[in-house]
Amino acid sequence: MEKAYKFPVFSRLSIITATIILAYGLTPFVKIPAQSIIIRFPWAVFNYDIDFDTIVSILVAFLAAFGIDWLIQTHPQKGTNTLLKHGIVPALTAWLIGVPLAFIDVGLEWWMVVGLGGILLAFIFLAEYLVVDSESGFHLPASLGLTAISFALFLVLAIALQASGLRLFLLLPAIVMTVFLLVARTLFLRTLGNWNWFWALGIGLLVGQIAIGLHYLPIQPLTFGLLLVAIAYPTTLLVSGLKENRHGWSLLLEPLTLFTFLFLLALFTNG
């Protein structure tokens, strides 16, 4: 029988989730003029517009990261560096909830996105709590769920960045850094405690190189995102298989199947 402590304290979970949803829910009612930040270099000038929605997205990302750390403090096997281990995916999720909200008028659809985002965030908090105990029967399904959601979030981010028309010097660091963090987190889960920073950086740079080439091609944002995921996700599974000492088809079958599926799906969506 599973012990009660294997599930998070409901009061903490509800407080964190409700606070983030409340922050997003208040954004339509707060009107603050956007501020421009200009950074000048001898060879270039960068102009960034910071509005209230951007500030909220950044704040809720930090809130989600510190919130999951606060939630995991109740786990008897919490260990150390819980913020680094468990804060990446919740922070990215909380931030990405605000991406579709920026393109939708306030109404039923807008509130549905907020509500569904809250449900997804609560699930991620629960999964992050469950993977703390590597001996638990919940660890494997929770880690698989976190991995799938992580790359689904990256897909949303890549689509949003490409659709927004960002210049390459802004798009590229966002993609490389996100892939680096998500791959490191995924390998940490699959190898039960090894961050594999070198592999994560290599995959991040590889995806960044692919993004440079795709950025200038006349393809749809969805196709752009699917092609990047088709490189990032299977490559991560391949490295995970190497770390688990797999060989032959046992090593290649899952990455090749996933790559083929995502690649064909990307070609189909661009047609």
Side-chain angles (χ1 to χ4, degrees), residues 87-100 116-117 120-121 123-124 128 145-161 174-175 178-179 182 225 229 233:
I88 296 172
V89 178
L92 181 62
T93 305
W95 177 55
L96 283 178
I97 291 174
V99 172
L116 292 174
L120 175 62
L121 196 57
F123 171 80
I124 289 174
E128 287 287 357
L146 282 173
T147 300
I149 290 175
S150 296
F151 285 97
L153 292 172
F154 172 66
L155 173 62
V156 174
L157 175 64
I159 294 171
L161 291 174
I175 286 178
T178 302
V179 172
L182 292 183
V229 175
Y233 200 174

Side-chain angles (χ1 to χ4, degrees), residues 37-48 167 169:
I37 298 178
I38 301 176
I39 302 176
R40 300 181 183 275
F41 292 102
W43 60 89
V45 177
F46 301 100
N47 191 352
Y48 301 93
R167 296 178 63 182
F169 74 89

Side-chain angles (χ1 to χ4, degrees), residues 39-116:
I39 302 176
R40 300 181 183 275
F41 292 102
W43 60 89
V45 177
F46 301 100
N47 191 352
Y48 301 93
D49 291 329
I50 307 296
D51 56 14
F52 182 70
D53 292 345
T54 302
I55 296 174
V56 170
S57 296
I58 295 173
L59 289 178
V60 297
F62 281 102
L63 180 60
F66 286 104
I68 188 61
D69 181 70
W70 180 54
L71 185 65
I72 290 176
Q73 295 308 311
T74 61
H75 201 295
Q77 300 181 25
K78 60 185 179 182
T80 58
N81 299 322
T82 54
L83 182 62
L84 177 62
K85 293 177 182 177
H86 303 281
I88 296 172
V89 178
L92 181 62
T93 305
W95 177 55
L96 283 178
I97 291 174
V99 172
L101 297 180
F103 301 98
I104 303 175
D105 294 331
V106 179
L108 179 60
E109 292 182 353
W110 193 91
W111 288 106
M112 286 181 63
V113 171
V114 173
L116 292 174

